[in-house]
Amino acid sequence: MIQKRKRLGDLLVEASMITEDQLMEALKEQRKTGLRLGDQLIALKLVNEQQIIEVLEYQLGIPHVNLYKQKIDRKLVNVISEDLARKYQVLPLKKSDNRLMVAMYDPLDYFALDDLRLSTGFEIDPVIAKKDELRLAINRYYGMQKSIEQMLQEIPMSEDDPGFLEAQQSDDSPVAKMVNQLISQAVQLGASDIHFDPQETELLIRLRIDGILRTERTLPIKMNNVLVSRIKIMAQLNIAEKRLPQDGRFKMELELNTIDLRVSILPTIYGEKVVMRLLDTGSVSLGIEKLGFSEQNEWKFTKMINHPYGLILVTGPTGSGKSTTLYTALHQLHSDAVNIITVEDPVEYQIKGINQVQVRSNIGLTFAAGLRSILRQDPDIIMVGEIRDSETAEIALRSAMTGHLVLSTLHTNDSVSAITRLIDMGIEPYLIASSLVGVLAQRLVRKVCPYCATSYELTEEQRNLFESWGLPTSKIVKGNGCSNCNSTGYKGRLAIHEIVLVDEKLREMITKKQTDSMYRQYVEEQGFKSMFYDGLVKVSQGETTIEEVFRVTV
């Protein structure tokens, strides 16, 4: 407990973080805005949140906690009411005898400390937590818990109950609020996918953040049917069909952003599994400079997409950023002088001024059928979402031969193997040789968190690896884990690339149907740099780690 009641401003002045004049300026401004002093000082850029935490830790001995690492007893949450938790931005963490440890953004808020002591009957031991962490944790443990309790008490869990369907259709029901809260929380954490995984005795809610899945919460298995039914209604799917997979989509408005959600439902032995992919239509990168190309690769990519005709392929596994790269290329090429048409499954991002066609296999509108129709629409540039079969591949290549620029994706491990993949699909080598402009292969690696990045000593083996490629090791870092990165050491992702441009010699080799190793040997003689090399360059620049590069390339 704090024995002497000190004020934050005085502590910051004592620590020489701010001057008396700056404190007076902040207090004067605070009277106009009504902000807490800490928020006001941050708004005036006199200090940052981390500096305030360090002063409170050092001057008063108040510990700082990372709420992502902290285990919180959900039953303990009821000790402090939701109204008080939101009013003072506090969260109960631990109880010991008559003392309650409480995470607070402002541990010098003596009104809050007194109010908590009187309302709970415990002596309060404050610890410091970051503002955003507290906001997310309060939403997670209070808002979500309230919805769960309401659902279990008020919502019929049996589909035979007459009130079951009514509860799913109402936008104000606890189940609707809970689904909205889960989506909102996923967006705040930067998740790309939400998984509802039914197990024998429990339902796991898992989020994919920066390409890695993690379990966010566990619910009673009996809630699965209720949640799945609500999601089906939102995605306009058949609520009665439980034996077959279903796909749909819907949109949500969250904090002025439109979130597009693709829904996939798959029957499993324990119930229907749902995966929702979150597409933030306002966040797609539409500048080549934002794709993370090296100088050489950016030059190659720009040269490829400015070719008057031919086929350009982007390869990589699912979730490697291929669609973002293609949309960026289309945005770069778009002008009033060209007619751009796409055929996609699904249309992920809508781009103004570009004609986008959604594949509907159930009514015969396949990639191949869509591509045939597009050719009668006088296109200049065509984007085919994915080459899945020989028919689509052949139409795309013949379109490229007859004066169209065609962009598409292909599932291969690297750029060179795209050539043999097309041959394996039954495409004549002469058709590939005369149409293919180039192939870009890419993967996504996690970026080192800038807030907790620190340099470290390389092993002899690692140092030899960088020296063998002629790369420096002065900027190599890793993340220690902090509240900004959910204690992972990584925050965000970037792409690593390799590009093969098809020249006359390579066309001749393709016509002769030579092997992958021979293609690779030739392009390496021409200065080709692999994805692995591009990844090591980004490690040497302090952007990612050796472990990430090995994870996605080797």
Side-chain angles (χ1 to χ4, degrees):
M1 268 299 284
I2 304 163
Q3 299 300 322
K4 185 179 177 183
R5 296 203 162 189
K6 292 192 175 185
R7 295 180 300 178
L8 177 61
D10 297 332
L11 290 170
L12 291 169
V13 171
E14 284 176 27
S16 301
M17 291 281 188
I18 59 172
T19 64
E20 285 281 1
D21 289 343
Q22 287 174 326
L23 176 58
M24 290 301 109
E25 178 195 352
L27 290 169
K28 183 179 177 182
E29 198 65 30
Q30 185 192 22
R31 285 193 284 273
K32 298 177 189 175
T33 62
L35 293 173
R36 293 171 184 262
L37 180 58
D39 289 332
Q40 188 63 65
L41 289 163
I42 292 168
L44 293 171
K45 297 184 177 177
L46 297 173
V47 292
N48 59 41
E49 189 176 12
Q50 188 59 38
Q51 287 173 313
I52 292 176
I53 289 171
E54 286 170 4
V55 166
L56 293 172
E57 276 193 289
Y58 180 73
Q59 299 280 62
L60 297 178
I62 302 174
H64 168 231
V65 295
N66 183 334
L67 291 181
Y68 291 110
K69 286 183 175 179
Q70 195 77 28
K71 285 192 175 180
I72 298 169
D73 184 352
R74 294 180 189 276
K75 293 176 183 175
L76 195 59
V77 171
N78 297 325
V79 173
I80 296 176
S81 70
E82 183 178 353
D83 289 341
L84 279 182
R86 293 190 184 280
K87 179 180 178 181
Y88 296 123
Q89 288 295 285
V90 298
L91 188 72
L93 300 180
K94 289 180 184 175
K95 185 174 70 170
S96 178
D97 297 328
N98 71 325
R99 307 196 76 83
L100 184 67
M101 182 190 287
V102 177
M104 304 179 70
Y105 168 58
D106 181 3
L108 298 181
D109 186 342
Y110 299 111
F111 290 109
L113 289 168
D114 290 341
D115 206 347
L116 291 172
R117 181 172 54 81
L118 290 169
S119 64
T120 64
F122 291 99
E123 291 297 322
I124 306 299
D125 291 331
V127 293
I128 314 163
K130 287 196 170 181
K131 190 176 185 178
D132 286 344
E133 280 188 53
L134 267 170
R135 179 172 54 82
L136 285 171
I138 289 168
N139 286 339
R140 179 181 180 186
Y141 288 102
Y142 280 97
M144 193 73 71
Q145 194 62 32
K146 188 174 179 180
S147 296
I148 292 169
E149 289 169 2
Q150 277 188 299
M151 278 181 66
L152 292 172
Q153 291 170 11
E154 301 173 17
I155 304 296
M157 295 291 162
S158 169
E159 295 178 42
D160 298 329
D161 193 299
F164 179 86
L165 188 58
E166 185 183 340
Q168 316 313 315
Q169 291 175 328
S170 170
D171 291 340
D172 296 322
S173 69
V175 61
K177 289 176 183 175
M178 184 170 178
V179 171
N180 292 348
Q181 285 167 344
L182 284 168
I183 295 169
S184 177
Q185 184 180 335
V187 170
Q188 287 173 347
L189 292 172
S192 60
D193 301 85
I194 307 172
H195 289 238
F196 291 70
D197 281 346
Q199 304 299 307
E200 187 174 4
T201 59
E202 59 191 13
L203 170 65
L204 303 181
I205 308 295
R206 303 201 291 167
L207 303 181
R208 188 177 295 280
I209 300 172
D210 292 336
I212 306 295
L213 266 177
R214 75 172 201 211
T215 300
E216 188 61 25
R217 76 169 44 243
T218 303
L219 300 174
I221 186 62
K222 63 182 178 180
M223 294 177 70
N224 189 52
N225 280 349
V226 179
L227 293 169
V228 172
S229 297
R230 173 61 189 171
I231 292 165
K232 283 181 178 178
I233 287 169
M234 294 171 81
Q236 297 183 335
L237 299 175
N238 183 354
I239 194 171
E241 180 57 76
K242 296 180 180 296
R243 300 165 301 169
L244 296 173
Q246 295 190 68
D247 295 300
R249 67 191 305 163
F250 63 93
K251 290 184 179 181
M252 276 186 71
E253 295 289 335
L254 283 175
E255 297 180 359
L256 305 179
N257 282 343
T258 301
I259 307 298
D260 199 346
L261 294 103
R262 279 166 39 194
V263 178
S264 172
I265 298 178
L266 181 72
T268 72
I269 57 171
Y270 295 123
E272 290 177 286
K273 172 180 166 59
V274 178
V275 175
M276 292 192 284
R277 170 152 289 188
L278 283 67
L279 302 168
D280 185 347
T281 55
S283 71
V284 62
S285 167
L286 293 176
I288 288 178
E289 70 284 352
K290 295 178 182 176
L291 293 177
F293 284 119
S294 65
E295 191 175 334
Q296 183 191 35
N297 283 338
E298 185 172 332
W299 175 82
K300 284 183 175 180
F301 183 70
T302 305
K303 183 180 179 181
M304 277 200 308
I305 65 173
N306 285 318
H307 208 276
Y309 60 87
L311 174 66
I312 297 167
L313 291 174
V314 180
T315 76
T318 302
S320 60
K322 300 188 299 294
S323 296
T324 299
T325 300
L326 284 179
Y327 282 120
T328 301
L330 291 181
H331 188 265
Q332 189 78 12
L333 295 167
H334 177 48
S335 73
D336 286 341
V338 293
N339 177 24
I340 301 176
I341 308 180
T342 76
V343 54
E344 306 169 62
D345 184 23
V347 175
E348 292 191 12
Y349 298 104
Q350 295 171 12
I351 303 177
K352 188 177 179 181
I354 292 178
N355 307 286
Q356 295 171 273
V357 177
Q358 168 74 51
V359 165
R360 299 186 187 280
S361 302
N362 58 330
I363 58 169
L365 181 52
T366 60
F367 277 116
L371 192 47
R372 283 197 197 90
S373 299
I374 283 172
L375 291 171
R376 295 192 287 272
Q377 289 283 316
D378 185 30
D380 298 293
I381 298 168
I382 301 167
M383 194 265 270
V384 182
E386 185 184 342
I387 291 177
R388 294 177 181 171
D389 52 56
S390 57
E391 186 183 10
T392 306
E394 186 163 345
I395 299 168
L397 284 159
R398 291 193 183 279
S399 305
M401 269 182 72
T402 54
H404 304 95
L405 183 65
V406 181
L407 295 88
S408 190
T409 69
L410 194 65
H411 285 281
T412 62
N413 290 328
D414 55 41
S415 53
V416 173
S417 60
I419 298 167
T420 48
R421 172 82 178 107
L422 289 171
I423 292 171
D424 290 343
M425 290 172 80
I427 307 301
E428 291 294 338
Y430 79 87
L431 199 55
I432 301 168
S434 57
S435 305
L436 190 61
V437 174
V439 184
L440 161 68
Q442 67 180 58
R443 298 286 190 281
L444 292 179
V445 292
R446 291 181 292 171
K447 292 166 69 175
V448 174
C449 173
Y451 300 99
C452 61
T454 54
S455 57
Y456 66 100
E457 194 65 33
L458 293 176
T459 65
E460 186 178 349
E461 186 182 359
Q462 290 171 336
R463 193 172 295 280
N464 290 339
L465 175 65
F466 282 92
E467 287 175 0
S468 69
W469 290 94
L471 296 171
T473 57
S474 55
K475 291 185 179 178
I476 294 178
V477 296
K478 65 179 179 181
N480 286 330
C482 66
S483 59
N484 293 291
C485 60
N486 300 346
S487 301
T488 62
Y490 298 98
K491 190 171 180 66
R493 289 190 290 177
L494 78 159
I496 57 175
H497 311 88
E498 64 180 38
I499 298 180
V500 169
L501 292 177
V502 181
D503 60 13
E504 287 308 313
K505 174 65 176 173
L506 192 54
R507 291 185 200 285
E508 187 182 323
M509 293 175 71
I510 293 169
T511 305
K512 292 178 180 177
K513 205 172 176 180
Q514 295 188 346
T515 63
D516 265 0
S517 59
M518 294 176 76
Y519 298 141
R520 180 170 286 277
Q521 183 182 343
Y522 170 71
V523 296
E524 284 176 352
E525 288 169 1
Q526 306 306 305
F528 167 81
K529 300 295 184 185
S530 68
M531 260 188 298
F532 182 70
Y533 173 80
D534 192 42
L536 288 183
V537 169
K538 283 163 182 168
V539 174
S540 71
Q541 294 169 344
E543 295 185 86
T544 186
T545 63
I546 300 170
E547 291 78 12
E548 276 296 288
V549 174
F550 273 99
R551 181 176 69 85
V552 302
T553 61
V554 178

